[in-house]
Amino acid sequence: MLDQSVVEEQPSVGQLDRLRAYWVRRDTIVWNIHALPNARYELHYSLDGSLELTAKGIQHGQVLPLERHLQGLDADLVAAFPHLQGLPVFRLAAEHHGLVTKILRGQVAVQAYHSDDQSLIDATALQIPGVLDDLYHYTGELGVSFDAQKQPILRLWAPTARNVELLLYADSTKTTEPQRQPMQFDERSGVWSIVGEPSWEDLFYRYEIDVFVPSTGQFERNSVTDPYSLSLSTNSQHSQIVDLQSQRLKPKGWSKIAKPSLAKPTDIVLYELHVRDFSITDHSVPAELRGTYKAFTQLESNGMQHLQRLAKAGLSHVHLLPVFDIATIEEHRPDRKRIDFEYLASLPADSPEQQAYLFPIRDRDGFNWGYDPRHYTTPEGSYSTDPDGSTRILEFREMVQALNQLGLRVVMDVVYNHTHSSGQASCAVLDRVVPGYYHRLDADGNVCNSTCCANTASEHHMMEKLMLDSLRTWAVEYKIDGFRFDLMGHHLKRNMLAIREMLDGLTLAEHGVDGKAIYLYGEGWNFGEVADGARGENATQHALAGTGIGTFSDRLRDAARGGGPFVGFQVQGFATGLLDRPNHFEQRALVERNYQVAVISDVVRLSLAGNLADYPILSCEGQQTLGGHLYVNGKPAAYGLRPDDHIAYVSAHDNETLFDGVQVKAPIETPMAERVRMHNLALSLVALAQGIPFFHAGDELLRSKSMDRNSYNSSDWFNRIDWTGQQNTWGSGLPPSADNHEHWSTVAPLLADPALKPTPEDMAFSYAHFQTMLQIRRSSELFRLSSAELIKQKLWFLNTGPEQVVGLVVMVLDDEVGKPSDSPFCRIVVAFNGSHQPLSYSDASFGHYDLQLHPLLVNGYDPVLEQASFDRSHGSISVPGFSCVVWVEQR
């Protein structure tokens, strides 16, 4: 019987539609082939794309010999291509290096055959990003720029193209035949360029590129927009020649815009908001401006008044979900499908009809989160009152200006880790300009899609350059104050450090921007083809520790809520009743739950201490250790080295909202008042944690998405927010089936229960709590310590170790040690109670404290806090159930 494992190990005999070899430097090719001693190796190329693989090997074209290089890859190439280490290496003779630039503008393949009988061993096409980076390390301008004579210069990096023409549309309707303008190629840089006339400003254009496309096996004539587009026509069909320095594209006072003060990163408080969500159902905004950038200029609207109140309380930054050009939103308003809100509102709270009605029109209703990049450096047109051209530029700037005037800085959510499309797809841009370069490829040459889209390859020089150039434009030309990187772990650490260095070089004097005040953060998850440094050290939580580039910490999120995004739908946590409000899903005995709460309380403590890996802690098991050495659920309980490494959060656009999480985790009999307290307790943990707190817009109003865990394309219905606090969206019907059907049987009875529908009073209570927590954070520098040293010096925990009162986390902030801060308080004690019952704790040190309830809590929003007590004579505190209490000692 034939051994199947042996068969599977044999190389296939040639496939030119696969890219199993890697041209990594002009003289070096790596090939995952079983190298034989009597084999010969060749490089084949054809400038007309005529290579053909037959039983006798590759036919047509030209042939160059390759020599096996037994020493393998050198250190530089191993660093650049760690996933290729150990594979057979082949060299191209020096006398042929001068041909390489010409070869790369055609079809190329390698072949191996037996030297004795000439029989074919294998043949494959090549992945060429490495050799392109070796030959064309271009650092100059790309896209549209203007010279001193106001002449536009258009540049396109397309080193593998054999011809490029500019298609210029003199008619703004873009329906007439374009003017064809030949572009000049620079052999050294790989750049095609043309100098135009001043009259070209505002005209639309495309490039027509004649290039070999490995996925089709032939030359294609691609008509494509500019990857460096600064402005676009409706639905991104044409790029537009614009000068971002033009005064008509700048709102009045733009050049003198005053940024809200920001002394240090740990003063930041982030608020994640979607442009369309902000105003699409806000009837205080004129109908024609709802869902647009212009809505932010309506300073008296409900939404802007809401943001103003939050800014006064302590909010510092509005984080906008993607606002670059998005591939999946219909920009032409008349072509969108309107939603009948009255009909949807008439359906039962647990009905499947809402999502069924919305499903057929989900791609034409104007809503999408926007994680579908088409052009990285153009504002999205669907958020403009006129998507056909440069109006979007002016209106985007007006939005930034309006938010700044409100006292809020602006963060952009950027998605350089993938594009919406690749290959020859109609929405693809990068891959139709330089096929096979900008995207990360697997061992067969297929585009990797571990991010659910076409992954980009920021390890390649020109992809990193695109990121840098794009971010510089947003920072300088749009005065963006921070960038949140989607799936940042799919970039390399060196990419992020290069971005940080570039931004740090921007100055007010030269660029009108203080680049050092621009904050960077993102998702440091470690998965996919880049996991564990497979393509170079990737930008994960642990890799970025100590850089001041923040990463979202799942530690506090999972400890507070319970479970995680992909497991434990009804698993409870510190703030959702695990200790003594177990739900029907929780079957563990009280002693086991107590132990689990003690474990996650250690995680909560470390998160409050800035998620510092070297923060000392006495664990619930009595072990004196450091946060990075305490393992919970198989990973360190803390990983940061600086507080500004730490993004503390319990809710974001992904997964169920915080309130929805509480709804499904709390026992069914839990009254609404207690559910709201659970929700508020979780927000308190974020608000008073060291590092940088992050909140999802609407959480302060008990925001619900009717249990939708992935509302990226779920329409305005499931994503709407009422800034007046009168209408809660809980009970808007069963969430969309695709991502939520498995939980319908669990959530349907919850949605149908009228007792679980929050009232305006419930929403107002949560809103007051949120504002108060922001005010308390702002009230003292002790909540915003700027270094790990200060945190370790001034912050510690009582009630730790094996004998702790389980469910009670007690944090002390003491300004009497070390250099005093500007805090009005010399000492602060904060207690978080994860029980539904009051909890008390005694400590001898309390006898030396002169604590009073924080002034913001005295006669404040929450009458329950009147039950909180500090008894100096007995050295004890008492904390009401599901509450956060803050005591202070005045100087």
Side-chain angles (χ1 to χ4, degrees):
M1 185 176 180
L2 191 61
D3 186 342
Q4 187 64 29
S5 65
V6 173
V7 173
E8 291 175 350
E9 290 177 0
Q10 300 304 311
S12 60
V13 181
Q15 291 176 288
L16 295 191
D17 60 346
R18 304 289 180 90
L19 285 67
R20 292 176 171 164
Y22 308 79
W23 201 342
V24 296
R25 198 164 57 195
R26 72 193 70 190
D27 65 342
T28 305
I29 290 172
V30 180
W31 188 358
N32 187 9
I33 187 174
H34 182 58
L36 299 172
N38 64 338
R40 304 209 40 192
Y41 304 92
E42 295 171 341
L43 177 72
H44 291 244
Y45 67 96
S46 169
L47 300 183
D48 60 7
S50 61
L51 296 184
E52 180 185 1
L53 183 61
T54 70
K56 295 182 179 180
I58 299 175
Q59 305 299 308
H60 316 303
Q62 308 298 313
V63 183
L64 297 174
L66 295 172
E67 292 295 326
R68 176 80 191 280
H69 184 66
L70 296 177
Q71 286 74 28
L73 292 175
D74 60 36
D76 289 342
L77 288 175
V78 168
F81 303 95
H83 61 300
L84 304 183
Q85 188 173 7
L87 297 181
V89 176
F90 305 89
R91 287 285 177 84
L92 182 68
E95 61 265 28
H96 300 310
H97 292 178
L99 295 171
V100 174
T101 55
K102 181 172 72 171
I103 292 171
L104 290 170
R105 295 169 73 182
Q107 182 184 14
V108 62
V110 291
Q111 174 176 271
Y113 60 91
H114 293 284
S115 57
D116 48 5
D117 62 4
Q118 308 297 303
S119 60
L120 181 67
I121 298 173
D122 201 2
T124 185
L126 294 97
Q127 300 182 27
I128 60 172
V131 67
L132 291 180
D133 280 349
D134 180 40
L135 293 168
Y136 303 108
H137 199 79
Y138 179 66
T139 59
E141 287 190 279
L142 290 170
V144 174
S145 61
F146 285 78
D147 63 16
Q149 288 72 46
K150 297 297 182 180
Q151 296 180 117
I153 305 170
L154 285 76
R155 299 180 179 89
L156 177 74
W157 188 74
T160 62
R162 61 182 182 183
N163 189 56
V164 178
E165 286 188 334
L166 174 69
L167 307 182
L168 193 64
Y169 294 82
D171 182 349
S172 62
T173 66
K174 304 166 286 293
T175 57
T176 57
E177 266 310 296
Q179 301 175 28
R180 291 181 171 270
Q181 302 283 347
M183 299 183 72
Q184 301 300 312
F185 182 63
D186 179 15
E187 287 275 359
R188 293 172 299 176
S189 66
V191 172
W192 298 80
S193 63
I194 184 172
V195 178
E197 301 295 330
S199 61
W200 286 13
E201 187 174 357
D202 294 331
L203 297 185
F204 292 90
Y205 69 100
R206 292 174 71 91
Y207 294 119
E208 189 171 87
I209 303 170
D210 192 14
V211 65
F212 185 82
V213 178
S215 62
T216 67
Q218 61 187 24
F219 277 92
E220 304 286 354
R221 185 157 292 170
N222 286 334
S223 177
V224 64
T225 47
D226 190 343
Y228 274 69
S229 293
L230 298 174
S231 184
L232 294 157
S233 68
T234 303
N235 286 330
S236 314
Q237 294 304 298
H238 298 78
S239 303
Q240 186 181 31
I241 298 173
V242 294
D243 183 1
L244 295 180
Q245 297 306 311
S246 172
Q247 289 303 310
R248 63 185 178 80
L249 298 181
K250 297 178 179 180
K252 185 179 179 180
W254 177 251
S255 61
K256 297 181 179 179
I257 194 169
K259 288 293 178 182
S261 62
L262 181 67
K264 59 186 186 300
T266 50
D267 289 338
I268 293 172
V269 178
L270 298 163
Y271 187 78
E272 181 195 48
L273 180 64
H274 186 264
V275 167
R276 187 173 171 93
D277 290 352
F278 175 66
S279 61
I280 197 64
T281 55
D282 187 348
H283 290 281
S284 67
V285 174
E288 68 275 11
L289 302 185
R290 293 174 198 162
T292 72
Y293 305 124
K294 290 285 285 185
F296 290 89
T297 67
Q298 306 301 297
L299 299 183
E300 299 304 315
S301 71
N302 295 329
M304 287 301 281
Q305 289 294 300
H306 185 87
L307 290 181
Q308 186 171 47
R309 287 189 290 270
L310 294 183
K312 288 180 178 178
L315 190 70
S316 69
H317 287 58
V318 168
H319 160 155
L320 296 174
L321 267 67
V323 285
F324 50 72
D325 179 50
I326 300 163
T328 47
I329 301 179
E330 173 58 58
E331 294 184 351
H332 189 229
R333 289 191 181 190
D335 290 339
R336 294 181 195 161
K337 292 291 185 180
R338 295 179 64 86
I339 295 174
D340 188 341
F341 271 64
E342 289 187 11
Y343 166 69
L344 294 173
S346 72
L347 297 170
D350 61 340
S351 171
E353 294 304 313
Q354 291 95 332
Q355 60 90 36
Y357 166 89
L358 294 164
F359 182 81
I361 61 174
R362 67 194 185 283
D363 294 328
R364 293 174 291 157
D365 63 358
F367 181 89
N368 198 290
W369 279 348
Y371 291 91
D372 299 314
R374 187 163 180 178
H375 298 88
Y376 286 118
T377 320
T378 304
E380 163 59 17
S382 71
Y383 301 146
S384 175
T385 60
D386 180 5
D388 201 46
S390 59
T391 300
R392 63 181 78 192
I393 296 171
L394 173 63
E395 292 179 346
F396 189 105
R397 287 168 163 170
E398 288 175 334
M399 172 185 66
V400 172
Q401 184 180 54
L403 286 168
N404 287 170
Q405 290 171 347
L406 215 63
L408 295 166
R409 292 182 175 231
V410 181
V411 171
M412 268 187 69
D413 200 324
V414 290
V415 190
Y416 296 107
N417 67 87
H418 64 244
T419 58
H420 173 264
S421 304
S422 61
Q424 290 295 101
S426 60
C427 282
V429 178
L430 298 173
D431 225 8
R432 297 174 71 211
V433 175
V434 190
Y437 177 81
Y438 284 100
H439 292 91
R440 193 172 290 127
L441 307 179
D442 66 15
D444 283 334
N446 302 309
V447 174
C448 298
N449 62 358
S450 57
T451 65
C452 300
C453 297
N455 297 356
T456 55
S458 55
E459 60 268 30
H460 302 159
H461 170 69
M462 295 303 288
M463 184 60 216
E464 180 183 79
K465 175 177 166 56
L466 175 57
M467 293 171 63
L468 288 165
D469 291 346
S470 177
L471 291 163
R472 181 185 175 93
T473 298
W474 288 115
V476 174
E477 303 296 345
Y478 293 93
K479 303 185 187 295
I480 293 297
D481 305 294
F483 297 100
R484 178 268 190 190
F485 290 79
D486 182 60
L487 296 180
M488 184 170 61
H490 268 59
H491 297 307
L492 300 190
K493 178 179 179 178
R494 66 173 172 82
N495 300 144
M496 299 308 302
L497 295 179
I499 292 166
R500 182 71 271 166
E501 182 180 15
M502 179 273 293
L503 293 173
D504 286 347
L506 302 178
T507 65
L508 284 169
E510 185 177 355
H511 309 98
V513 171
D514 178 8
K516 292 181 179 179
I518 296 174
Y519 184 59
L520 303 179
Y521 61 105
E523 296 176 297
W525 316 133
N526 183 37
F527 69 97
E529 74 282 355
V530 299
D532 302 320
R535 302 288 178 115
E537 186 177 14
N538 50 321
T540 61
Q541 293 172 331
H542 290 277
L544 291 178
T547 65
I549 298 173
T551 56
F552 287 90
S553 172
D554 48 346
R555 277 53 165 187
L556 179 59
R557 180 198 68 193
D558 295 348
R561 292 176 63 131
F566 308 109
V567 294
F569 185 60
Q570 291 187 271
V571 172
Q572 295 172 277
F574 181 86
T576 56
L578 175 59
L579 180 63
D580 51 14
R581 279 289 198 233
N583 58 32
H584 71 92
F585 178 82
E586 176 57 64
Q587 297 296 318
R588 286 176 292 187
L590 176 60
V591 65
E592 294 177 274
R593 294 203 312 276
N594 278 1
Y595 173 73
Q596 184 60 31
V597 170
V599 169
I600 62 177
S601 295
D602 283 343
V603 177
V604 167
R605 292 179 181 101
L606 288 167
S607 298
L608 290 168
N611 186 44
L612 296 176
D614 60 354
Y615 186 84
I617 185 171
L618 177 64
S619 77
C620 65
E621 295 183 339
Q623 178 186 9
Q624 188 67 50
T625 186
L626 300 177
H629 296 162
L630 180 65
Y631 277 71
V632 176
N633 296 325
K635 60 186 179 184
Y639 59 83
L641 296 178
R642 295 166 42 165
D644 52 349
D645 293 338
H646 180 219
I647 303 294
Y649 82 116
V650 290
S651 182
H653 65 275
D654 281 323
N655 311 307
E656 294 86 3
T657 67
L658 174 60
F659 181 69
D660 284 351
V662 169
Q663 291 284 70
V664 77
K665 292 172 187 292
I668 187 69
E669 66 276 8
T670 306
M672 179 53 65
E674 191 164 278
R675 292 169 182 269
V676 175
R677 301 193 73 83
M678 291 177 176
H679 174 275
N680 289 352
L681 176 61
L683 291 181
S684 302
L685 291 169
V686 175
L688 302 185
Q690 299 293 328
I692 296 172
F694 173 101
F695 301 100
H696 183 44
D699 273 349
E700 70 278 14
L701 296 172
L702 305 179
R703 184 178 187 177
S704 171
K705 297 181 182 179
S706 206
M707 293 304 305
D708 189 358
R709 70 174 301 272
N710 189 16
S711 69
Y712 80 100
N713 199 19
S714 297
S715 84
D716 301 317
W717 177 251
F718 284 102
N719 288 282
R720 68 197 191 281
I721 308 173
D722 176 17
W723 298 120
T724 69
Q726 297 304 302
Q727 295 293 326
N728 191 279
T729 48
W730 173 262
S732 295
L734 285 168
S737 176
D739 289 301
N740 303 281
H741 187 269
E742 65 177 307
H743 296 308
W744 273 10
S745 61
T746 300
V747 304
L750 302 176
L751 295 170
D753 187 346
L756 298 187
K757 178 81 169 180
T759 66
E761 291 73 24
D762 295 322
M763 298 166 71
F765 178 73
S766 181
Y767 186 29
H769 169 83
F770 184 73
Q771 292 181 84
T772 302
M773 288 299 108
L774 293 185
Q775 290 172 316
I776 288 174
R777 181 180 182 85
R778 177 176 279 186
S779 72
S780 175
E781 288 283 333
L782 291 173
F783 290 114
R784 297 173 276 121
L785 297 170
S786 60
S787 71
E789 290 69 26
L790 285 173
I791 292 173
K792 287 183 284 187
Q793 183 182 81
K794 294 178 179 288
L795 185 155
W796 61 85
F797 296 94
L798 304 175
N799 188 39
T800 61
E803 304 303 319
Q804 66 184 271
V805 176
V806 177
L808 186 65
V809 171
V810 182
M811 176 173 69
V812 179
L813 293 158
D814 196 320
D815 212 26
E816 293 295 290
V817 291
K819 182 180 178 181
S821 72
D822 294 331
S823 172
F825 313 119
C826 61
R827 188 173 290 112
I828 302 173
V829 174
V830 187
F832 303 89
N833 183 357
S835 167
H836 82 282
Q837 299 178 341
L839 293 179
S840 298
Y841 170 72
S842 299
D843 192 278
S845 63
F846 288 155
H848 304 290
Y849 295 175
D850 184 17
L851 298 176
Q852 303 293 327
L853 201 61
H854 195 290
L856 291 165
L857 298 181
V858 177
N859 300 318
Y861 72 98
D862 186 2
V864 170
L865 295 186
E866 295 177 8
Q867 303 169 21
S869 65
F870 166 70
D871 187 333
R872 183 173 184 177
S873 61
H874 292 89
S876 66
I877 59 172
S878 180
V879 185
F882 292 124
S883 293
C884 167
V885 181
V886 183
W887 291 276
V888 297
E889 184 174 333
Q890 303 277 357
R891 288 193 183 280

